[in-house]
Amino acid sequence: MIPSMLLIPALLIQVSAPLPVVEAKDLPQAPRGPMTPQVPDAGADSSLLGEARRSARRGPSLSALQLPAGSVRVKDKIPDVSGWRAYAIEVPAGGKVKVHVVEGRKAWFRVLAVNAWGRDEQGLLQNRIHSGEPQATYQNPSRETRTLYFIVDTLDANMSGEAFEIEVTRG
């Protein structure tokens, strides 16, 4: 018998279990959300709808949903004309987290990772090269638990009610 053939059953057994699925309507509101990030609005245009979107994005901060502990898959939709949805997550010292849009019109979304002030900080990694895979990661370099925010943003002005799913993977 060929020894390498013995590895095939071992590879087939290592199928990972699916992540638990949570509806966004079942998630609690976070105690606070991030300040509005100062990033260019990829969905802005000069139409009346584009003006309404810019106006909706002028608020001082975003409301955020609190993500549960552990890896999870969240089903959600864009709630309003602003075109974004924020999620708060607690990352322990040395912990890693990745948020990735896995269902929906993926190429029409981007994921931003920000701190409470709506800015980048050490440990955040944005997917700055548009690859059609909207994702962002964070690795906590500090010795304390940090609250970070992941914002799912739309790249078009008229995406209110657009459904998507994100996969939150903790490492």
Side-chain angles (χ1 to χ4, degrees):
M1 182 173 215
I2 303 171
S4 62
M5 295 298 278
L6 296 174
L7 294 176
I8 293 174
L11 293 174
L12 295 175
I13 293 173
Q14 294 178 353
V15 176
S16 62
L19 295 176
V21 178
V22 176
E23 293 283 337
K25 63 182 174 59
D26 299 332
L27 293 174
Q29 271 308 110
R32 65 166 289 189
M35 302 293 286
T36 305
Q38 301 300 313
V39 295
D41 183 5
D45 58 15
S46 60
S47 69
L48 187 58
L49 187 59
E51 191 61 40
R53 178 178 164 117
R54 276 190 295 281
S55 179
R57 287 175 168 240
R58 284 193 187 115
S61 66
L62 301 169
S63 63
L65 298 176
Q66 186 69 48
L67 289 170
S71 297
V72 70
R73 195 169 175 142
V74 179
K75 288 185 174 187
D76 202 354
K77 58 184 167 185
I78 298 298
D80 55 28
V81 72
S82 69
W84 50 25
R85 170 71 97 173
Y87 302 94
I89 189 163
E90 302 289 324
V91 184
K96 295 179 186 177
V97 66
K98 174 183 172 185
V99 175
H100 184 194
V101 176
V102 292
E103 293 291 330
R105 299 182 207 190
K106 293 188 334 181
W108 291 19
F109 291 98
R110 69 178 170 179
V111 179
L112 305 170
V114 296
N115 62 13
W117 299 105
R119 297 188 185 112
D120 288 342
E121 72 175 40
Q122 184 181 1
L124 291 172
L125 180 62
Q126 312 285 354
N127 189 4
R128 297 193 192 282
I129 299 172
H130 186 69
S131 64
E133 290 297 328
Q135 60 189 347
T137 59
Y138 176 67
Q139 182 172 355
N140 189 351
S142 71
R143 294 183 179 187
E144 57 189 39
T145 299
R146 304 266 306 138
T147 301
L148 264 290
Y149 301 90
F150 288 90
I151 301 169
V152 176
D153 190 13
T154 58
L155 301 175
D156 190 37
N158 190 18
M159 292 193 56
S160 182
E162 187 71 31
F164 63 93
E165 285 185 33
I166 59 170
E167 197 169 90
V168 180
T169 310
R170 292 179 182 254

